[in-house]
């Protein structure tokens, strides 16, 4: 099974535009990474938004790779279309 990184690399080599990896809207603050540190709601919201954006990005890369792979299969075996 191909990793997401490998799928992205294949797409780029094929000349297919890949959406950029989503950045977190707030810079990560190290002080909130310490144990028992109170994390403001805005920071938690930024984390949740980025997780959702990353999931959507992963799905987009998977879909683009699947479409590319399907196209290659058809072009390799035109009689099966």
């Amino acid at each position: 099974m191909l990793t997401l990184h490998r799928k992205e690399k294949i797409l780029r080599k094929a000349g297919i535009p890949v959406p950029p990896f989503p950045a977190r809207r707030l810079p990560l603050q190290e002080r909130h990474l310490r144990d028992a540190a109170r994390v403001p709601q805005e920071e938690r919201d930024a984390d949740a938004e980025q997780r959702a954006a990353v999931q959507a990005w992963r799905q987009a890369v998977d879909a683009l790779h699947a479409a590319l792979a399907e196209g290659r299969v058809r072009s390799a075996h035109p009689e099966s279309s």
Side-chain angles (χ1 to χ4, degrees):
M1 183 166 180
L2 294 173
T3 65
L4 206 56
H5 174 73
R6 184 72 182 130
K7 289 178 184 179
E8 182 184 16
K9 191 173 182 179
I10 290 168
L11 289 167
R12 289 186 193 284
K13 280 187 175 182
I16 297 172
V18 177
F21 188 82
R24 189 173 186 269
R25 74 174 163 87
L26 294 175
L28 191 59
Q29 296 185 27
E30 194 172 314
R31 67 182 175 189
H32 298 304
L33 298 177
R34 291 187 298 231
D35 290 338
R38 184 184 171 285
V39 179
Q41 184 62 42
E42 186 176 16
E43 293 287 332
R44 287 184 278 167
D45 291 345
D47 287 342
E49 290 168 12
Q50 186 186 29
R51 278 192 299 275
V54 168
Q55 183 60 29
W57 178 83
R58 287 174 185 265
Q59 291 172 346
V61 170
D62 281 338
L64 287 169
H65 183 265
L68 177 65
E70 187 177 307
R72 286 185 176 167
V73 170
R74 284 192 188 141
S75 64
H77 304 288
E79 66 280 353
S80 64
S81 302

